[in-house]
Amino acid sequence: MVLGAMALLLIGLSLYTSLLDPLRAKLGVLTQSAYWVTDIPTRFGDWMTDRLTSKQALLEENAALREELLIHKGRAQQMATIYAENMRLQQLMNASEKVNERVLIAEIFGVSPDPLAHRVIINRGSEHGVYVGQPLLDADGLMGQVVEVSPYSSQVLLITDSSHAIPVQVNRNGVRAVAEGIGNLYQLELRHVSNTVDIQEGDLLVSSGLGQRFPVGYPVAEVETVIHDPGQPFARVIARPMAQLNRSRHVLLVFNDPARADSPADLSE
Amino acid sequence: MEFQQNPSFGLVVLSFAVAMLLSILPLPHGWAWFRPELVALLVIYWVMALPERLGVGMAFAVGLTQDIIENAIPGQHALALVAVAYFCLLSYQRIRNYALWQQSAWVFVLIGIHQLFWNWVRSLSGPAAQPLVFLVPALASAVLWPFLLIGMELIRSRVRRSPF
């Protein structure tokens, strides 16, 4: 009875006050070490794959990567010009100057065991300059944001979590919307899209930066289905996240907060 | 089913440590609901095996540790496990004499209660599970119970006979 009451008290304290937060941040180290242990099989598997790959496969992969690099380099050649041009145009429009965003490479080493929460744990924490609210990307798009930071690891809430929403716009025409997670790792839903709005299947949704949390212009999702039901006040728009939410292991943390942009972390590039 | 009576507290700690690591082991996408509540099962096992030594206090300590390790709301698992241990203490004399499958049925009820508390605390801070979906882990746990029981008894008899 007493212990049950104590448990209830703890629950109440942690839910409705922030008294326990410093303690939880400290205990995050324990969490992290436990996840580190459960990550051993994966790392061992990676190590084995590295050891047991044949020379032929490595050569082929190398050739493919070189090709890809060539393509990307070719595209990047024009970037300098386009960037400068973009800057000039923005100055013409009196827009504020864009901050050059720094990134930090991180690795996912744990997934929340709670089936209702879409959270992952990454191996970078406050010691590396990570802060609450920092956006996380993978190679294909936006993944989520940091919600809890401990010294050497942080918890990231994925964009598909049912408590998450992100302001987006359609890349084709700039229509703004809010993409909500619905607890499905492969689906986002756009909120309150009226039936007359120009959104089509296959449209790319990019972050609009309106919430001041995510930087502008990162791909978020691709519209999968648009259902116009005359009986419903709004159109039902389902989009598929661009990021490989259940596959990516190597991810990027973006430092987009201007106030923090000049507090460098050692491991940044 | 006869339970051995020898106390082996090293084994208690070790079993909970392993169970907690298994409870955060990443599962393939879509399988998360089928993860048995191994920590709760072990609480049931140890309370049934050594009811005069292990009880609600142990359940509370284990639950808090699990909350920290899973980064859940502090008290979420503690509350659920305290309830489970309490019901277990009330009923162990009868349940011990049941056949394995009957014990499994009782374990389903106990883990169901565990899930009920877990889901209730979860619902205070965010979206809760769909009705009945949160009972899937209870089903998985009930299926696992006979194997866990036989396995733990084997391990404990080995530990008792070993020269260490």
mmCIF file of all heavy atoms in Angstrom, chain A residues 3-4 7-8 10-11 14-15 24 27 30-31 34-35 37-38 113-117 148 155 162 185-186, chain B residues 21 23-24 29 32-33 56-57 60 64 68-75 79 118 121-122 124-125 127 129:
data_model
loop_
_atom_site.group_PDB
_atom_site.id
_atom_site.type_symbol
_atom_site.label_atom_id
_atom_site.label_comp_id
_atom_site.label_asym_id
_atom_site.label_seq_id
_atom_site.Cartn_x
_atom_site.Cartn_y
_atom_site.Cartn_z
ATOM 1 N N LEU A 3 4.016 1.441 -0.654
ATOM 2 C CA LEU A 3 4.870 1.491 -1.844
ATOM 3 C C LEU A 3 4.067 1.898 -3.062
ATOM 4 O O LEU A 3 4.541 2.656 -3.914
ATOM 5 C CB LEU A 3 5.524 0.129 -2.063
ATOM 6 C CG LEU A 3 6.595 -0.200 -1.027
ATOM 7 C CD1 LEU A 3 7.037 -1.638 -1.165
ATOM 8 C CD2 LEU A 3 7.784 0.719 -1.200
ATOM 9 N N GLY A 4 2.820 1.403 -3.140
ATOM 10 C CA GLY A 4 1.957 1.806 -4.244
ATOM 11 C C GLY A 4 1.713 3.305 -4.213
ATOM 12 O O GLY A 4 1.793 3.988 -5.233
ATOM 13 N N ALA A 7 4.757 5.038 -5.399
ATOM 14 C CA ALA A 7 4.848 4.991 -6.861
ATOM 15 C C ALA A 7 3.938 6.046 -7.478
ATOM 16 O O ALA A 7 4.331 6.785 -8.383
ATOM 17 C CB ALA A 7 4.477 3.601 -7.361
ATOM 18 N N LEU A 8 2.710 6.140 -6.935
ATOM 19 C CA LEU A 8 1.768 7.143 -7.444
ATOM 20 C C LEU A 8 2.325 8.554 -7.266
ATOM 21 O O LEU A 8 2.218 9.397 -8.159
ATOM 22 C CB LEU A 8 0.433 7.030 -6.705
ATOM 23 C CG LEU A 8 -0.513 5.962 -7.223
ATOM 24 C CD1 LEU A 8 -1.750 5.883 -6.350
ATOM 25 C CD2 LEU A 8 -0.909 6.292 -8.655
ATOM 26 N N LEU A 10 5.467 9.422 -7.101
ATOM 27 C CA LEU A 10 6.540 9.624 -8.091
ATOM 28 C C LEU A 10 5.957 9.968 -9.449
ATOM 29 O O LEU A 10 6.425 10.885 -10.134
ATOM 30 C CB LEU A 10 7.374 8.354 -8.212
ATOM 31 C CG LEU A 10 8.531 8.202 -7.237
ATOM 32 C CD1 LEU A 10 9.168 6.846 -7.412
ATOM 33 C CD2 LEU A 10 9.552 9.298 -7.490
ATOM 34 N N ILE A 11 4.918 9.212 -9.839
ATOM 35 C CA ILE A 11 4.287 9.460 -11.137
ATOM 36 C C ILE A 11 3.768 10.889 -11.192
ATOM 37 O O ILE A 11 4.015 11.627 -12.139
ATOM 38 C CB ILE A 11 3.145 8.459 -11.378
ATOM 39 C CG1 ILE A 11 3.702 7.050 -11.521
ATOM 40 C CG2 ILE A 11 2.333 8.836 -12.594
ATOM 41 C CD1 ILE A 11 2.668 5.958 -11.435
ATOM 42 N N SER A 14 6.581 13.474 -11.410
ATOM 43 C CA SER A 14 7.277 13.567 -12.684
ATOM 44 C C SER A 14 6.371 14.092 -13.789
ATOM 45 O O SER A 14 6.831 14.707 -14.739
ATOM 46 C CB SER A 14 7.862 12.217 -13.075
ATOM 47 O OG SER A 14 6.827 11.291 -13.149
ATOM 48 N N LEU A 15 5.053 13.856 -13.629
ATOM 49 C CA LEU A 15 4.155 14.305 -14.697
ATOM 50 C C LEU A 15 3.810 15.785 -14.569
ATOM 51 O O LEU A 15 3.758 16.506 -15.553
ATOM 52 C CB LEU A 15 2.863 13.493 -14.682
ATOM 53 C CG LEU A 15 2.922 12.129 -15.346
ATOM 54 C CD1 LEU A 15 1.573 11.450 -15.231
ATOM 55 C CD2 LEU A 15 3.307 12.259 -16.802
ATOM 56 N N ARG A 24 16.510 12.686 -13.391
ATOM 57 C CA ARG A 24 16.325 11.818 -14.550
ATOM 58 C C ARG A 24 17.434 12.009 -15.565
ATOM 59 O O ARG A 24 17.900 11.061 -16.175
ATOM 60 C CB ARG A 24 14.965 12.092 -15.203
ATOM 61 C CG ARG A 24 13.815 11.544 -14.421
ATOM 62 C CD ARG A 24 12.518 11.732 -15.158
ATOM 63 N NE ARG A 24 12.365 10.757 -16.223
ATOM 64 C CZ ARG A 24 11.368 10.771 -17.091
ATOM 65 N NH1 ARG A 24 10.464 11.716 -17.023
ATOM 66 N NH2 ARG A 24 11.271 9.854 -18.016
ATOM 67 N N LEU A 27 20.354 10.120 -14.312
ATOM 68 C CA LEU A 27 20.177 8.675 -14.438
ATOM 69 C C LEU A 27 20.177 8.226 -15.892
ATOM 70 O O LEU A 27 20.227 7.047 -16.190
ATOM 71 C CB LEU A 27 18.876 8.244 -13.752
ATOM 72 C CG LEU A 27 18.919 8.374 -12.234
ATOM 73 C CD1 LEU A 27 17.549 8.139 -11.644
ATOM 74 C CD2 LEU A 27 19.911 7.386 -11.650
ATOM 75 N N LEU A 30 22.711 5.729 -16.829
ATOM 76 C CA LEU A 30 22.403 4.312 -16.598
ATOM 77 C C LEU A 30 21.617 3.750 -17.779
ATOM 78 O O LEU A 30 21.920 2.671 -18.300
ATOM 79 C CB LEU A 30 21.590 4.199 -15.310
ATOM 80 C CG LEU A 30 21.515 2.825 -14.680
ATOM 81 C CD1 LEU A 30 22.863 2.407 -14.163
ATOM 82 C CD2 LEU A 30 20.511 2.825 -13.553
ATOM 83 N N THR A 31 20.600 4.525 -18.202
ATOM 84 C CA THR A 31 19.817 4.127 -19.367
ATOM 85 C C THR A 31 20.727 3.865 -20.548
ATOM 86 O O THR A 31 20.638 2.843 -21.217
ATOM 87 C CB THR A 31 18.850 5.270 -19.746
ATOM 88 O OG1 THR A 31 18.235 5.731 -18.574
ATOM 89 C CG2 THR A 31 17.843 4.804 -20.750
ATOM 90 N N ALA A 34 22.752 0.698 -20.411
ATOM 91 C CA ALA A 34 21.945 -0.488 -20.690
ATOM 92 C C ALA A 34 21.710 -0.637 -22.187
ATOM 93 O O ALA A 34 21.846 -1.726 -22.752
ATOM 94 C CB ALA A 34 20.614 -0.392 -19.953
ATOM 95 N N TYR A 35 21.384 0.487 -22.844
ATOM 96 C CA TYR A 35 21.161 0.418 -24.291
ATOM 97 C C TYR A 35 22.444 0.065 -25.024
ATOM 98 O O TYR A 35 22.426 -0.618 -26.041
ATOM 99 C CB TYR A 35 20.603 1.745 -24.815
ATOM 100 C CG TYR A 35 19.126 1.860 -24.611
ATOM 101 C CD1 TYR A 35 18.604 2.591 -23.579
ATOM 102 C CD2 TYR A 35 18.255 1.213 -25.470
ATOM 103 C CE1 TYR A 35 17.249 2.690 -23.377
ATOM 104 C CE2 TYR A 35 16.898 1.299 -25.291
ATOM 105 C CZ TYR A 35 16.399 2.044 -24.238
ATOM 106 O OH TYR A 35 15.058 2.123 -24.055
ATOM 107 N N VAL A 37 24.686 -1.926 -23.985
ATOM 108 C CA VAL A 37 24.855 -3.381 -23.908
ATOM 109 C C VAL A 37 23.969 -4.070 -24.933
ATOM 110 O O VAL A 37 24.411 -4.975 -25.644
ATOM 111 C CB VAL A 37 24.533 -3.884 -22.489
ATOM 112 C CG1 VAL A 37 24.547 -5.393 -22.442
ATOM 113 C CG2 VAL A 37 25.529 -3.340 -21.497
ATOM 114 N N THR A 38 22.700 -3.623 -25.048
ATOM 115 C CA THR A 38 21.808 -4.297 -25.993
ATOM 116 C C THR A 38 22.211 -4.027 -27.431
ATOM 117 O O THR A 38 21.756 -4.705 -28.342
ATOM 118 C CB THR A 38 20.346 -3.848 -25.823
ATOM 119 O OG1 THR A 38 20.313 -2.431 -25.970
ATOM 120 C CG2 THR A 38 19.811 -4.232 -24.486
ATOM 121 N N PRO A 113 11.553 0.756 -25.943
ATOM 122 C CA PRO A 113 10.800 -0.503 -25.918
ATOM 123 C C PRO A 113 9.295 -0.299 -25.856
ATOM 124 O O PRO A 113 8.539 -1.234 -26.053
ATOM 125 C CB PRO A 113 11.308 -1.183 -24.649
ATOM 126 C CG PRO A 113 11.747 -0.067 -23.777
ATOM 127 C CD PRO A 113 12.235 1.015 -24.677
ATOM 128 N N ASP A 114 8.866 0.930 -25.574
ATOM 129 C CA ASP A 114 7.441 1.219 -25.470
ATOM 130 C C ASP A 114 6.809 1.177 -26.863
ATOM 131 O O ASP A 114 7.173 1.967 -27.730
ATOM 132 C CB ASP A 114 7.279 2.613 -24.851
ATOM 133 C CG ASP A 114 5.841 2.940 -24.572
ATOM 134 O OD1 ASP A 114 4.976 2.251 -25.115
ATOM 135 O OD2 ASP A 114 5.598 3.893 -23.810
ATOM 136 N N PRO A 115 5.873 0.242 -27.095
ATOM 137 C CA PRO A 115 5.326 0.125 -28.450
ATOM 138 C C PRO A 115 4.544 1.358 -28.892
ATOM 139 O O PRO A 115 4.306 1.529 -30.083
ATOM 140 C CB PRO A 115 4.416 -1.102 -28.376
ATOM 141 C CG PRO A 115 4.401 -1.553 -26.988
ATOM 142 C CD PRO A 115 5.293 -0.703 -26.161
ATOM 143 N N LEU A 116 4.146 2.205 -27.943
ATOM 144 C CA LEU A 116 3.344 3.372 -28.318
ATOM 145 C C LEU A 116 4.196 4.590 -28.617
ATOM 146 O O LEU A 116 3.705 5.576 -29.154
ATOM 147 C CB LEU A 116 2.383 3.721 -27.181
ATOM 148 C CG LEU A 116 1.289 2.708 -26.923
ATOM 149 C CD1 LEU A 116 0.614 3.009 -25.618
ATOM 150 C CD2 LEU A 116 0.304 2.726 -28.048
ATOM 151 N N ALA A 117 5.472 4.544 -28.243
ATOM 152 C CA ALA A 117 6.317 5.725 -28.427
ATOM 153 C C ALA A 117 7.304 5.477 -29.551
ATOM 154 O O ALA A 117 7.894 4.412 -29.628
ATOM 155 C CB ALA A 117 7.067 6.021 -27.126
ATOM 156 N N GLU A 148 15.199 14.836 -24.909
ATOM 157 C CA GLU A 148 15.854 14.732 -23.609
ATOM 158 C C GLU A 148 17.348 14.592 -23.846
ATOM 159 O O GLU A 148 17.764 13.834 -24.723
ATOM 160 C CB GLU A 148 15.363 13.498 -22.844
ATOM 161 C CG GLU A 148 14.162 13.738 -21.981
ATOM 162 C CD GLU A 148 13.675 12.456 -21.340
ATOM 163 O OE1 GLU A 148 14.495 11.736 -20.768
ATOM 164 O OE2 GLU A 148 12.476 12.184 -21.450
ATOM 165 N N GLN A 155 17.624 11.454 -26.211
ATOM 166 C CA GLN A 155 16.413 10.819 -26.701
ATOM 167 C C GLN A 155 15.840 11.667 -27.822
ATOM 168 O O GLN A 155 15.726 12.879 -27.678
ATOM 169 C CB GLN A 155 15.372 10.754 -25.582
ATOM 170 C CG GLN A 155 15.776 9.900 -24.425
ATOM 171 C CD GLN A 155 15.001 8.609 -24.400
ATOM 172 O OE1 GLN A 155 13.973 8.487 -25.056
ATOM 173 N NE2 GLN A 155 15.505 7.649 -23.671
ATOM 174 N N SER A 162 2.877 9.774 -32.091
ATOM 175 C CA SER A 162 1.540 10.373 -32.120
ATOM 176 C C SER A 162 1.462 11.659 -31.305
ATOM 177 O O SER A 162 0.420 12.308 -31.296
ATOM 178 C CB SER A 162 0.487 9.371 -31.645
ATOM 179 O OG SER A 162 1.007 8.579 -30.627
ATOM 180 N N LEU A 185 4.793 4.076 -38.234
ATOM 181 C CA LEU A 185 6.140 4.452 -38.658
ATOM 182 C C LEU A 185 6.204 4.827 -40.139
ATOM 183 O O LEU A 185 7.158 5.432 -40.586
ATOM 184 C CB LEU A 185 7.091 3.286 -38.378
ATOM 185 C CG LEU A 185 8.539 3.598 -38.073
ATOM 186 C CD1 LEU A 185 8.660 4.682 -37.039
ATOM 187 C CD2 LEU A 185 9.241 2.351 -37.619
ATOM 188 N N TYR A 186 5.191 4.500 -40.904
ATOM 189 C CA TYR A 186 5.227 4.767 -42.334
ATOM 190 C C TYR A 186 4.221 5.834 -42.755
ATOM 191 O O TYR A 186 4.003 6.026 -43.935
ATOM 192 C CB TYR A 186 4.963 3.481 -43.118
ATOM 193 C CG TYR A 186 5.982 2.418 -42.833
ATOM 194 C CD1 TYR A 186 5.642 1.292 -42.106
ATOM 195 C CD2 TYR A 186 7.290 2.561 -43.271
ATOM 196 C CE1 TYR A 186 6.581 0.327 -41.825
ATOM 197 C CE2 TYR A 186 8.230 1.595 -42.997
ATOM 198 C CZ TYR A 186 7.876 0.490 -42.271
ATOM 199 O OH TYR A 186 8.809 -0.458 -41.994
ATOM 200 N N LEU B 21 17.679 -6.122 -19.677
ATOM 201 C CA LEU B 21 18.362 -5.924 -20.959
ATOM 202 C C LEU B 21 17.492 -6.465 -22.093
ATOM 203 O O LEU B 21 17.360 -5.842 -23.146
ATOM 204 C CB LEU B 21 19.721 -6.628 -20.951
ATOM 205 C CG LEU B 21 20.769 -5.928 -20.106
ATOM 206 C CD1 LEU B 21 22.090 -6.655 -20.206
ATOM 207 C CD2 LEU B 21 20.950 -4.493 -20.567
ATOM 208 N N SER B 23 14.379 -6.598 -22.115
ATOM 209 C CA SER B 23 13.176 -5.783 -22.301
ATOM 210 C C SER B 23 13.444 -4.516 -23.099
ATOM 211 O O SER B 23 12.507 -3.854 -23.520
ATOM 212 C CB SER B 23 12.561 -5.420 -20.946
ATOM 213 O OG SER B 23 13.357 -4.459 -20.302
ATOM 214 N N ILE B 24 14.724 -4.158 -23.294
ATOM 215 C CA ILE B 24 14.984 -3.003 -24.171
ATOM 216 C C ILE B 24 15.689 -3.414 -25.451
ATOM 217 O O ILE B 24 16.070 -2.581 -26.253
ATOM 218 C CB ILE B 24 15.816 -1.907 -23.464
ATOM 219 C CG1 ILE B 24 17.131 -2.465 -22.978
ATOM 220 C CG2 ILE B 24 15.054 -1.240 -22.372
ATOM 221 C CD1 ILE B 24 18.113 -1.384 -22.585
ATOM 222 N N HIS B 29 10.401 -4.057 -36.541
ATOM 223 C CA HIS B 29 9.236 -3.181 -36.559
ATOM 224 C C HIS B 29 7.944 -3.999 -36.572
ATOM 225 O O HIS B 29 7.805 -4.941 -37.335
ATOM 226 C CB HIS B 29 9.293 -2.285 -37.793
ATOM 227 C CG HIS B 29 8.081 -1.447 -37.964
ATOM 228 N ND1 HIS B 29 7.737 -0.459 -37.074
ATOM 229 C CD2 HIS B 29 7.106 -1.468 -38.886
ATOM 230 C CE1 HIS B 29 6.617 0.099 -37.453
ATOM 231 N NE2 HIS B 29 6.210 -0.489 -38.550
ATOM 232 N N ALA B 32 6.754 -5.085 -31.482
ATOM 233 C CA ALA B 32 6.927 -4.545 -30.138
ATOM 234 C C ALA B 32 5.840 -5.035 -29.183
ATOM 235 O O ALA B 32 6.107 -5.250 -28.009
ATOM 236 C CB ALA B 32 6.941 -3.022 -30.188
ATOM 237 N N TRP B 33 4.614 -5.208 -29.676
ATOM 238 C CA TRP B 33 3.533 -5.636 -28.784
ATOM 239 C C TRP B 33 3.684 -7.080 -28.353
ATOM 240 O O TRP B 33 3.039 -7.517 -27.404
ATOM 241 C CB TRP B 33 2.170 -5.438 -29.448
ATOM 242 C CG TRP B 33 1.696 -4.035 -29.405
ATOM 243 C CD1 TRP B 33 1.515 -3.216 -30.482
ATOM 244 C CD2 TRP B 33 1.345 -3.258 -28.261
ATOM 245 N NE1 TRP B 33 1.081 -1.981 -30.066
ATOM 246 C CE2 TRP B 33 0.971 -1.980 -28.720
ATOM 247 C CE3 TRP B 33 1.321 -3.521 -26.892
ATOM 248 C CZ2 TRP B 33 0.576 -0.970 -27.853
ATOM 249 C CZ3 TRP B 33 0.931 -2.520 -26.032
ATOM 250 C CH2 TRP B 33 0.563 -1.264 -26.529
ATOM 251 N N VAL B 56 6.647 -7.281 -2.103
ATOM 252 C CA VAL B 56 6.288 -5.995 -2.690
ATOM 253 C C VAL B 56 7.494 -5.041 -2.741
ATOM 254 O O VAL B 56 7.669 -4.298 -3.705
ATOM 255 C CB VAL B 56 5.123 -5.383 -1.880
ATOM 256 C CG1 VAL B 56 4.736 -4.046 -2.437
ATOM 257 C CG2 VAL B 56 3.942 -6.319 -1.913
ATOM 258 N N GLY B 57 8.335 -5.088 -1.703
ATOM 259 C CA GLY B 57 9.501 -4.203 -1.674
ATOM 260 C C GLY B 57 10.421 -4.460 -2.852
ATOM 261 O O GLY B 57 10.864 -3.530 -3.532
ATOM 262 N N PHE B 60 8.940 -3.137 -5.987
ATOM 263 C CA PHE B 60 9.057 -1.679 -6.107
ATOM 264 C C PHE B 60 10.454 -1.300 -6.603
ATOM 265 O O PHE B 60 10.602 -0.506 -7.546
ATOM 266 C CB PHE B 60 8.785 -1.035 -4.747
ATOM 267 C CG PHE B 60 8.763 0.462 -4.782
ATOM 268 C CD1 PHE B 60 7.701 1.121 -5.352
ATOM 269 C CD2 PHE B 60 9.802 1.202 -4.248
ATOM 270 C CE1 PHE B 60 7.661 2.505 -5.397
ATOM 271 C CE2 PHE B 60 9.780 2.578 -4.291
ATOM 272 C CZ PHE B 60 8.708 3.232 -4.860
ATOM 273 N N LEU B 64 11.308 0.473 -10.187
ATOM 274 C CA LEU B 64 11.984 1.770 -10.345
ATOM 275 C C LEU B 64 13.188 1.641 -11.269
ATOM 276 O O LEU B 64 13.419 2.483 -12.141
ATOM 277 C CB LEU B 64 12.431 2.299 -8.985
ATOM 278 C CG LEU B 64 11.450 3.182 -8.246
ATOM 279 C CD1 LEU B 64 12.137 3.837 -7.076
ATOM 280 C CD2 LEU B 64 10.871 4.245 -9.177
ATOM 281 N N ILE B 68 13.909 3.525 -14.849
ATOM 282 C CA ILE B 68 15.106 4.286 -15.212
ATOM 283 C C ILE B 68 15.692 3.740 -16.502
ATOM 284 O O ILE B 68 16.043 4.494 -17.415
ATOM 285 C CB ILE B 68 16.128 4.216 -14.061
ATOM 286 C CG1 ILE B 68 15.604 4.991 -12.858
ATOM 287 C CG2 ILE B 68 17.470 4.768 -14.509
ATOM 288 C CD1 ILE B 68 16.342 4.697 -11.595
ATOM 289 N N ILE B 69 15.772 2.423 -16.591
ATOM 290 C CA ILE B 69 16.428 1.830 -17.756
ATOM 291 C C ILE B 69 15.602 2.055 -19.016
ATOM 292 O O ILE B 69 16.141 2.349 -20.080
ATOM 293 C CB ILE B 69 16.694 0.335 -17.499
ATOM 294 C CG1 ILE B 69 17.891 0.226 -16.551
ATOM 295 C CG2 ILE B 69 16.952 -0.409 -18.783
ATOM 296 C CD1 ILE B 69 18.358 -1.131 -16.277
ATOM 297 N N GLU B 70 14.300 1.945 -18.909
ATOM 298 C CA GLU B 70 13.477 2.145 -20.110
ATOM 299 C C GLU B 70 13.156 3.612 -20.334
ATOM 300 O O GLU B 70 12.489 3.956 -21.302
ATOM 301 C CB GLU B 70 12.164 1.361 -19.975
ATOM 302 C CG GLU B 70 12.369 -0.130 -20.031
ATOM 303 C CD GLU B 70 11.064 -0.875 -20.236
ATOM 304 O OE1 GLU B 70 10.027 -0.228 -20.419
ATOM 305 O OE2 GLU B 70 11.117 -2.111 -20.221
ATOM 306 N N ASN B 71 13.604 4.470 -19.424
ATOM 307 C CA ASN B 71 13.317 5.894 -19.502
ATOM 308 C C ASN B 71 11.809 6.155 -19.548
ATOM 309 O O ASN B 71 11.323 7.006 -20.282
ATOM 310 C CB ASN B 71 14.001 6.523 -20.716
ATOM 311 C CG ASN B 71 14.212 7.994 -20.523
ATOM 312 O OD1 ASN B 71 14.132 8.485 -19.404
ATOM 313 N ND2 ASN B 71 14.457 8.711 -21.580
ATOM 314 N N ALA B 72 11.080 5.372 -18.750
ATOM 315 C CA ALA B 72 9.633 5.566 -18.653
ATOM 316 C C ALA B 72 9.364 6.610 -17.581
ATOM 317 O O ALA B 72 10.282 7.142 -16.971
ATOM 318 C CB ALA B 72 8.957 4.247 -18.320
ATOM 319 N N ILE B 73 8.080 6.902 -17.342
ATOM 320 C CA ILE B 73 7.717 7.803 -16.248
ATOM 321 C C ILE B 73 8.126 7.133 -14.937
ATOM 322 O O ILE B 73 7.779 5.973 -14.724
ATOM 323 C CB ILE B 73 6.202 8.053 -16.260
ATOM 324 C CG1 ILE B 73 5.795 8.645 -17.596
ATOM 325 C CG2 ILE B 73 5.799 8.943 -15.114
ATOM 326 C CD1 ILE B 73 4.345 8.445 -17.911
ATOM 327 N N PRO B 74 8.868 7.817 -14.045
ATOM 328 C CA PRO B 74 9.267 7.163 -12.806
ATOM 329 C C PRO B 74 8.033 6.718 -12.030
ATOM 330 O O PRO B 74 7.148 7.518 -11.773
ATOM 331 C CB PRO B 74 10.030 8.251 -12.043
ATOM 332 C CG PRO B 74 10.385 9.258 -13.048
ATOM 333 C CD PRO B 74 9.369 9.188 -14.138
ATOM 334 N N GLY B 75 7.982 5.435 -11.683
ATOM 335 C CA GLY B 75 6.837 4.906 -10.966
ATOM 336 C C GLY B 75 5.893 4.112 -11.843
ATOM 337 O O GLY B 75 5.035 3.398 -11.329
ATOM 338 N N LEU B 79 4.643 0.931 -9.939
ATOM 339 C CA LEU B 79 3.245 0.777 -9.529
ATOM 340 C C LEU B 79 2.676 -0.550 -10.024
ATOM 341 O O LEU B 79 2.077 -1.319 -9.264
ATOM 342 C CB LEU B 79 2.429 1.949 -10.074
ATOM 343 C CG LEU B 79 0.953 1.957 -9.727
ATOM 344 C CD1 LEU B 79 0.778 2.165 -8.246
ATOM 345 C CD2 LEU B 79 0.217 3.041 -10.490
ATOM 346 N N TRP B 118 0.108 -0.040 -16.262
ATOM 347 C CA TRP B 118 1.096 0.540 -17.170
ATOM 348 C C TRP B 118 0.405 1.486 -18.161
ATOM 349 O O TRP B 118 0.823 2.611 -18.377
ATOM 350 C CB TRP B 118 1.810 -0.610 -17.893
ATOM 351 C CG TRP B 118 2.796 -0.197 -18.915
ATOM 352 C CD1 TRP B 118 4.105 0.102 -18.695
ATOM 353 C CD2 TRP B 118 2.571 -0.041 -20.314
ATOM 354 N NE1 TRP B 118 4.697 0.438 -19.874
ATOM 355 C CE2 TRP B 118 3.792 0.356 -20.880
ATOM 356 C CE3 TRP B 118 1.464 -0.207 -21.142
ATOM 357 C CZ2 TRP B 118 3.933 0.612 -22.240
ATOM 358 C CZ3 TRP B 118 1.605 0.042 -22.487
ATOM 359 C CH2 TRP B 118 2.829 0.440 -23.020
ATOM 360 N N VAL B 121 -1.043 4.720 -16.493
ATOM 361 C CA VAL B 121 -0.044 5.760 -16.265
ATOM 362 C C VAL B 121 0.382 6.369 -17.600
ATOM 363 O O VAL B 121 0.576 7.576 -17.721
ATOM 364 C CB VAL B 121 1.184 5.175 -15.520
ATOM 365 C CG1 VAL B 121 2.248 6.238 -15.363
ATOM 366 C CG2 VAL B 121 0.769 4.656 -14.175
ATOM 367 N N ARG B 122 0.490 5.526 -18.624
ATOM 368 C CA ARG B 122 0.871 6.001 -19.958
ATOM 369 C C ARG B 122 -0.153 7.017 -20.453
ATOM 370 O O ARG B 122 0.187 8.025 -21.034
ATOM 371 C CB ARG B 122 0.927 4.801 -20.902
ATOM 372 C CG ARG B 122 1.391 5.070 -22.294
ATOM 373 C CD ARG B 122 2.830 4.682 -22.439
ATOM 374 N NE ARG B 122 3.506 5.125 -23.643
ATOM 375 C CZ ARG B 122 3.282 6.218 -24.325
ATOM 376 N NH1 ARG B 122 2.317 7.023 -23.993
ATOM 377 N NH2 ARG B 122 4.006 6.523 -25.364
ATOM 378 N N LEU B 124 -1.823 9.069 -18.837
ATOM 379 C CA LEU B 124 -1.781 10.367 -18.167
ATOM 380 C C LEU B 124 -0.887 11.339 -18.917
ATOM 381 O O LEU B 124 -1.051 12.551 -18.821
ATOM 382 C CB LEU B 124 -1.241 10.209 -16.746
ATOM 383 C CG LEU B 124 -2.108 9.421 -15.786
ATOM 384 C CD1 LEU B 124 -1.429 9.321 -14.445
ATOM 385 C CD2 LEU B 124 -3.463 10.074 -15.638
ATOM 386 N N SER B 125 0.093 10.816 -19.654
ATOM 387 C CA SER B 125 1.073 11.702 -20.276
ATOM 388 C C SER B 125 0.945 11.751 -21.783
ATOM 389 O O SER B 125 1.617 12.524 -22.438
ATOM 390 C CB SER B 125 2.483 11.239 -19.912
ATOM 391 O OG SER B 125 2.794 10.082 -20.637
ATOM 392 N N PRO B 127 -0.914 9.595 -25.568
ATOM 393 C CA PRO B 127 -1.895 8.664 -26.111
ATOM 394 C C PRO B 127 -1.723 7.279 -25.494
ATOM 395 O O PRO B 127 -0.608 6.813 -25.326
ATOM 396 C CB PRO B 127 -1.565 8.629 -27.601
ATOM 397 C CG PRO B 127 -0.160 9.097 -27.698
ATOM 398 C CD PRO B 127 0.060 10.026 -26.558
ATOM 399 N N ALA B 129 -2.882 3.035 -25.313
ATOM 400 C CA ALA B 129 -3.068 1.983 -26.312
ATOM 401 C C ALA B 129 -4.540 1.806 -26.627
ATOM 402 O O ALA B 129 -5.408 2.158 -25.844
ATOM 403 C CB ALA B 129 -2.491 0.684 -25.787
#
